[in-house]
Amino acid sequence: MKDFKSFSDGRKENNGKNSDFDNDKGVNLVKNVANSMKGKSQGDIMRAVIEEAERGKREGTLTNADLDNFYNMMAPTLDGFKRQKLKNIIARLKRI
């Protein structure tokens, strides 16, 4: 691997898309929420994440494993208080 671009280009499949990430429900959840939340407050973002996850759980398109993946992606970007809050939200969502 010479650089990140050559590494990522080597992993592309399916018409130039990175299939590892494109098929991950947690990644797609983050993408959808991020696109819809541009310019919105933190509270609006949290409500949207929860609503989207609740809908996915009820429809059967979001599993507990997907929620774990989402938590594992987001947790490193949060401080201790927010990380604990996210952990509590994920636990609540898993009970749906």
Side-chain angles (χ1 to χ4, degrees), residues 42-61:
Q42 181 181 356
D44 290 338
I45 292 170
M46 286 303 295
R47 280 187 288 282
V49 168
I50 292 167
E51 288 172 10
E52 183 72 21
E54 286 175 347
R55 182 175 38 251
K57 284 287 287 185
R58 288 190 176 97
E59 293 174 355
T61 60

Side-chain angles (χ1 to χ4, degrees), residues 15-89:
N15 297 324
K17 292 185 178 181
N18 187 332
S19 62
D20 291 344
F21 290 113
D22 289 338
N23 294 324
D24 187 287
K25 293 175 190 170
V27 170
N28 289 330
L29 175 62
V30 171
K31 286 180 184 177
N32 291 340
V33 170
N35 287 333
S36 67
M37 292 295 117
K38 290 180 181 174
K40 296 194 178 177
S41 72
Q42 181 181 356
D44 290 338
I45 292 170
M46 286 303 295
R47 280 187 288 282
V49 168
I50 292 167
E51 288 172 10
E52 183 72 21
E54 286 175 347
R55 182 175 38 251
K57 284 287 287 185
R58 288 190 176 97
E59 293 174 355
T61 60
L62 187 66
T63 66
N64 288 348
D66 296 326
L67 290 170
D68 287 335
N69 289 339
F70 178 75
Y71 175 81
N72 291 333
M73 283 189 306
M74 297 303 294
T77 67
L78 304 172
D79 64 32
F81 175 77
K82 291 177 184 173
R83 188 177 308 119
Q84 184 60 42
K85 186 173 181 178
L86 179 61
K87 187 175 185 176
N88 292 339
I89 291 168

Side-chain angles (χ1 to χ4, degrees), residues 3-21:
D3 57 25
F4 181 77
K5 182 167 176 28
S6 64
F7 172 75
S8 64
D9 287 346
R11 293 184 55 201
K12 289 187 178 182
E13 301 171 8
N14 298 334
N15 297 324
K17 292 185 178 181
N18 187 332
S19 62
D20 291 344
F21 290 113

